Amino acid sequence: MHHVTKVHFGPLLSEVRTKVDSKRPILRYLVDKREGLKNTHPKELLVSDFSCFHSPFSLPDITEAVNLLLTYAKTNRKILLYGDRDSDGVSSTCLLAFFLRSHPEFQSAHLEVMVSSESDPYGLCKEAVTKIKKAKPDLLVTLDFGSSQADEIESLTELGIQVIVLDHHEVPVRIPKHCALVNPRRTDSDYPEKKICTAALSFKLVSAILFRESSEWNKLYAKTITNEDGSTEIVYFQNGIKVQKGSSTSSTSSDMAGQESSKSDNQIESNFDFSKKEVHPYPEDFTTNVPLDDERKLFFYQCQKIPQFFEQLEEETDLAGIGTITDMMPLVGENRHFVKLALESLTKLYIGDKKRKGLKELLKELKLNPNGITTKDLGWSIGPVVNAAGRMGKTEEAVSLLLSESEADAKTKAKNLLSINEERKERTKRNMDRVERYFARKPERTGHEVVYCYEPDMEPGVSGIVATRMVDTYKKPAIFVAPDNGDARGSIRSYGPENVLELLESLSHHFLHFGGHPEAGGFSITIDQLPKFESELYEKAKLWLSEDKDRPKEHLIETDFTVLPEEMNEKLRKEWMDLEPFGQGNPDIKLGIKNAKAIHLTPLSGGKHVRFHIVGSGSLKFMIWNKGEEFQNFMSKHGSFDLVGSLEENFYQGRSSLQFIVEWFGKSETK
């Protein structure tokens, strides 16, 4: 920990309170520092409700997807939902499946659910295509993959299988034919948010289905606006989207199977006579808790007119929030609202009688705080357990739990899923021990721009976790590879803002498959190709990083504030809690403490972890995970030290307490 190059200590709390002109100076200072939040209206920062969501009908191909699902569900043709193995894939698949199974209009739908397992390569691999052909669906919905697999999709549509893709990964130039591809990253997408996960897209699809089935569908609203030159014009809206003559609120795919190809249901023809259609006045007097743009305000107004609309959607937010956190989406804009509403929904689920029996039993088995589920619970408890099933080749176990319909069945499956997670932890530990020995034998391997590790005795299924730990240790992009079903599978994780997909693309001729996000990717490769891959990797990595001007040239930790030991308490933490949820794009508040002195030091787990107090902090506990021995060695040589970390609530055995989690300790070289 103490090898950090520099620490930039933020201002003292007293300085901020003196200099920032605001009723809440600490909160105002933090908001202004955060790029993704500083332009957010204060009320939208403090309040989250369904008014904050954009209409789903600006997503490309969403109307086609809705029409297809309604048509195939109501005619009892076979619908196959096929999801990816990770938490977002499982969450998005179960969200849509649960809705279709529980909603009265779709309960008779011929629905089948599949998910990929850890033994399958990524996406629509040949194994997945074989399974799909064997299932013989009329309609296939892929969730969390499919955007970059036009050839495979077209091979299925040629067999008469209609395809919907719900995905948020990077989209290539070629979009598959005869396919509804719902992806906000499409270059032709008008959707305001580009970085939302597939579970959020499942939520959007469900809300679009409910709206499509209502009397508000395709109603035309008009608003008269005054231009800067004093002239007036009429702006029209349909389904929460501004429309003009010749425009459409949904991008269309050509020649949709089983539908008219001339226009979508939500398209207004260029020669349409607006005066001949019933036009409703824009609700000028309608008020919301949060100041909204015209489109969101109107869509919320329309949704409020639909009986039980928000009540039906409330429970769907839970899995959307879990997917958002675990897939590391930036917690700004809609993602922020998804997670906040998910926490409310999960808390109600925990203490109430809701439909999701499986998720409720999982919360109980995890022994989470019934007084309020937190973002940390999503990211560190619920998400990893759901993810563990896929990592251990047992994705179906997570799906089976989340779709459970009885408490007894759900309780058994929740215990089973926690047992799988314990297996995952043990496998991770064994792999990490091997990684440490690997670099101890070959320390020169840590001198490259990218740290790489492969040995034949590594165990599969946890490569992403191990790669992330390698990044934390070596402060560089990291690749971890393990044997897997006769081949090998690797994961890459970024250290800074570099795009790991660019590196994988430059090495793609070695891979069987690859994919992922700019921050995290994966690939499969034959074992005999690994030596060639590694030898080329280091040269490609040099070129890759030399072109990345934003890459940090040194490891720097920046704190939001410098605090005195006596200032840290629950009252201080409450000053910024309105910034929750914390995570990707909106990190937890980082505090710096200078010249601290430890007392009452207690080694834990044989010295692996350590708990202590510092002089002046009262009863506040400080925790260091996985670096206990290093801290004790450091303490034996230094009388005082600097700390960087964050305050968090700890819930254990029915009791809550405040603690300080140490991210870094040492003697800082101040920037």
Side-chain angles (χ1 to χ4, degrees):
M1 274 189 181
H2 53 272
H3 62 272
V4 170
T5 307
K6 288 185 179 179
V7 178
H8 178 210
F9 285 90
L12 291 165
L13 293 169
S14 57
E15 294 175 355
V16 175
R17 292 190 174 113
T18 301
K19 295 179 180 178
V20 177
D21 185 16
S22 171
K23 291 181 179 179
R24 301 181 66 181
I26 299 298
L27 185 63
R28 180 75 266 164
Y29 173 80
L30 290 167
V31 169
D32 289 343
K33 276 187 63 180
R34 300 189 172 213
E35 194 64 32
L37 296 180
K38 66 181 181 182
N39 295 323
T40 305
H41 191 283
K43 286 190 176 179
E44 188 166 349
L45 190 68
L46 301 176
V47 176
S48 285
D49 60 32
F50 287 103
S51 70
C52 299
F53 289 138
H54 302 286
S55 166
F57 293 102
S58 60
L59 282 164
D61 289 359
I62 188 73
T63 301
E64 287 77 12
V66 168
N67 290 341
L68 284 167
L69 269 170
L70 289 173
T71 300
Y72 282 70
K74 291 183 177 182
T75 55
N76 204 31
R77 282 184 277 179
K78 186 173 182 179
I79 300 172
L80 173 62
L81 307 185
Y82 200 127
D84 190 27
R85 70 178 65 87
D86 69 2
S87 182
D88 187 26
V90 170
S91 296
S92 56
T93 303
C94 291
L95 192 160
L96 184 55
F98 208 103
F99 171 78
L100 292 174
R101 286 183 175 180
S102 61
H103 195 280
E105 289 197 42
F106 308 113
Q107 284 182 352
S108 62
H110 186 185
L111 186 69
E112 185 174 349
V113 177
M114 285 186 182
V115 280
S116 61
S117 67
E118 188 60 30
S119 60
D120 295 332
Y122 174 78
L124 277 174
C125 56
K126 62 181 181 181
E127 292 88 347
V129 171
T130 299
K131 290 179 185 177
I132 291 166
K133 288 179 179 178
K134 187 176 180 180
K136 297 180 180 179
D138 297 300
L139 174 64
L140 167 69
V141 184
T142 70
L143 298 106
D144 208 31
F145 62 84
S147 291
S148 61
Q149 294 170 299
D151 291 341
E152 291 84 351
I153 289 171
E154 288 169 4
S155 74
L156 293 170
T157 59
E158 287 171 1
L159 298 174
I161 300 172
Q162 182 61 61
V163 180
I164 297 171
V165 173
L166 285 187
D167 191 19
H168 68 122
H169 294 91
E170 298 294 333
V171 178
V173 175
R174 191 167 84 84
I175 293 175
K177 298 176 183 177
H178 317 310
C179 168
L181 174 54
V182 183
N183 188 322
R185 296 198 187 199
R186 277 176 53 165
T187 56
D188 60 343
S189 174
D190 294 324
Y191 198 73
E193 308 270 355
K194 304 304 179 188
K195 293 186 177 182
I196 59 175
C197 68
T198 307
L201 290 175
S202 270
F203 176 92
K204 290 290 179 180
L205 181 59
V206 167
S207 64
I209 290 171
L210 293 174
F211 193 90
R212 176 67 177 81
E213 291 288 88
S214 76
S215 60
E216 286 298 306
W217 170 249
N218 266 354
K219 275 189 178 179
L220 199 62
Y221 286 79
K223 179 178 183 178
T224 301
I225 63 171
T226 302
N227 299 316
E228 291 183 1
D229 62 2
S231 62
T232 61
E233 65 175 305
I234 298 175
V235 177
Y236 293 93
F237 300 83
Q238 194 175 55
N239 305 326
I241 307 297
K242 286 182 184 178
V243 293
Q244 300 295 343
K245 294 182 181 180
S247 71
S248 168
T249 58
S250 174
S251 304
T252 60
S253 295
S254 61
D255 300 323
M256 295 296 294
Q259 299 182 43
E260 293 183 7
S261 60
S262 58
K263 66 180 187 295
S264 74
D265 282 350
N266 213 28
Q267 186 175 13
I268 298 176
E269 298 177 15
S270 58
N271 61 353
F272 183 83
D273 187 350
F274 280 65
S275 64
K276 292 183 180 179
K277 182 175 176 64
E278 183 181 6
V279 178
H280 302 267
Y282 186 92
E284 299 283 1
D285 296 334
F286 179 67
T287 59
T288 57
N289 293 326
V290 177
L292 302 170
D293 54 79
D294 288 343
E295 290 181 315
R296 284 194 294 173
K297 178 179 176 180
L298 177 57
F299 188 67
F300 183 61
Y301 168 78
Q302 290 185 267
C303 293
Q304 279 204 326
K305 297 174 70 177
I306 302 171
Q308 300 296 306
F309 185 84
F310 297 122
E311 288 81 357
Q312 293 178 84
L313 282 180
E314 180 187 359
E315 202 162 13
E316 309 298 339
T317 58
D318 51 15
L319 291 173
I322 292 170
T324 297
I325 287 288
T326 55
D327 225 39
M328 301 181 70
M329 293 293 102
L331 297 183
V332 297
E334 274 196 335
N335 289 331
R336 174 182 171 79
H337 300 304
F338 269 125
V339 174
K340 291 182 76 172
L341 290 171
L343 297 178
E344 293 176 12
S345 177
L346 286 166
T347 300
K348 290 179 182 178
L349 171 66
Y350 201 164
I351 61 176
D353 184 22
K354 297 283 185 177
K355 292 182 294 184
R356 300 205 197 280
K357 309 295 185 186
L359 198 48
K360 179 172 182 175
E361 289 304 319
L362 181 59
L363 301 180
K364 287 182 178 179
E365 290 297 323
L366 288 169
K367 297 180 172 58
L368 301 179
N369 188 349
N371 297 319
I373 303 300
T374 66
T375 314
K376 182 185 175 185
D377 293 332
L378 298 188
W380 293 91
S381 296
I382 302 170
V385 170
V386 174
N387 249 337
R391 295 184 188 279
M392 302 300 288
K394 301 176 181 178
T395 321
E396 296 81 2
E397 299 291 342
V399 173
S400 181
L401 168 67
L402 294 178
L403 296 182
S404 294
E405 296 180 359
S406 75
E407 288 187 14
D409 183 49
K411 193 175 190 66
T412 300
K413 289 176 177 177
K415 289 180 180 293
N416 184 42
L417 201 59
L418 260 63
S419 176
I420 292 171
N421 190 44
E422 289 303 314
E423 291 178 38
R424 189 269 307 168
K425 289 179 182 179
E426 289 301 316
R427 182 177 292 186
T428 302
K429 182 178 182 298
R430 290 193 296 270
N431 273 347
M432 284 305 304
D433 289 342
R434 289 166 183 153
V435 167
E436 290 174 8
R437 292 198 299 270
Y438 174 87
F439 286 116
R441 292 194 311 270
K442 303 178 180 181
E444 69 279 3
R445 294 290 183 95
T446 63
H448 297 290
E449 281 78 4
V450 171
V451 285
Y452 168 87
C453 180
Y454 166 78
E455 285 202 318
D457 63 345
M458 297 298 186
E459 298 179 59
V462 293
S463 57
I465 301 171
V466 177
T468 299
R469 302 236 179 126
M470 287 166 61
V471 170
D472 292 341
T473 301
Y474 299 105
K475 313 303 178 189
K476 295 178 179 182
I479 295 177
F480 176 79
V481 183
D484 189 72
N485 290 292
D487 293 316
R489 182 165 298 173
S491 289
I492 181 171
R493 295 293 183 267
S494 66
Y495 167 58
E498 64 270 4
N499 184 340
V500 299
L501 289 180
E502 293 175 356
L503 180 60
L504 293 185
E505 182 68 45
S506 70
L507 294 158
S508 59
H509 51 281
H510 294 290
F511 303 142
L512 299 170
H513 301 274
F514 77 97
H517 307 287
E519 304 85 6
F523 58 88
S524 57
I525 185 171
T526 60
I527 288 176
D528 61 4
Q529 193 71 15
L530 283 171
K532 295 178 183 177
F533 167 69
E534 184 185 2
S535 64
E536 190 178 345
L537 166 66
Y538 300 124
E539 289 303 315
K540 292 290 187 183
K542 283 182 182 178
L543 293 172
W544 171 55
L545 294 174
S546 67
E547 295 172 358
D548 189 347
K549 297 178 181 178
D550 295 327
R551 186 185 179 228
K553 301 298 186 288
E554 62 183 7
H555 183 52
L556 170 68
I557 289 183
E558 295 195 51
T559 72
D560 291 293
F561 303 109
T562 301
V563 295
L564 304 175
E566 59 268 24
E567 292 177 311
M568 288 184 295
N569 50 42
E570 187 61 44
K571 182 180 178 182
L572 173 62
R573 184 168 169 266
K574 286 180 179 178
E575 290 196 53
W576 58 66
M577 286 310 293
D578 283 324
L579 283 180
E580 277 271 27
F582 295 123
Q584 192 79 8
N586 183 37
D588 199 353
I589 310 308
K590 198 169 288 187
L591 305 176
I593 306 172
K594 294 183 177 180
N595 299 317
K597 294 183 179 180
I599 54 175
H600 309 314
L601 191 146
T602 305
L604 305 172
S605 300
K608 182 179 180 181
H609 318 301
V610 67
R611 182 178 66 226
F612 60 96
H613 298 261
I614 65 173
V615 174
S617 67
S619 60
L620 181 68
K621 295 176 183 176
F622 290 72
M623 292 294 306
I624 294 177
W625 301 108
N626 301 310
K627 295 287 182 178
E629 291 182 7
E630 185 178 338
F631 179 70
Q632 291 183 77
N633 290 336
F634 181 84
M635 284 291 298
S636 67
K637 300 173 185 176
H638 301 86
S640 64
F641 50 90
D642 301 328
L643 289 177
V644 174
S646 56
L647 286 170
E648 68 172 39
E649 182 185 39
N650 178 47
F651 181 77
Y652 182 67
Q653 294 185 340
R655 293 184 179 182
S656 295
S657 61
L658 192 65
Q659 61 184 11
F660 187 99
I661 303 300
V662 177
E663 174 187 334
W664 173 87
F665 61 83
K667 286 290 187 180
S668 61
E669 180 184 342
T670 306
K671 181 183 176 184

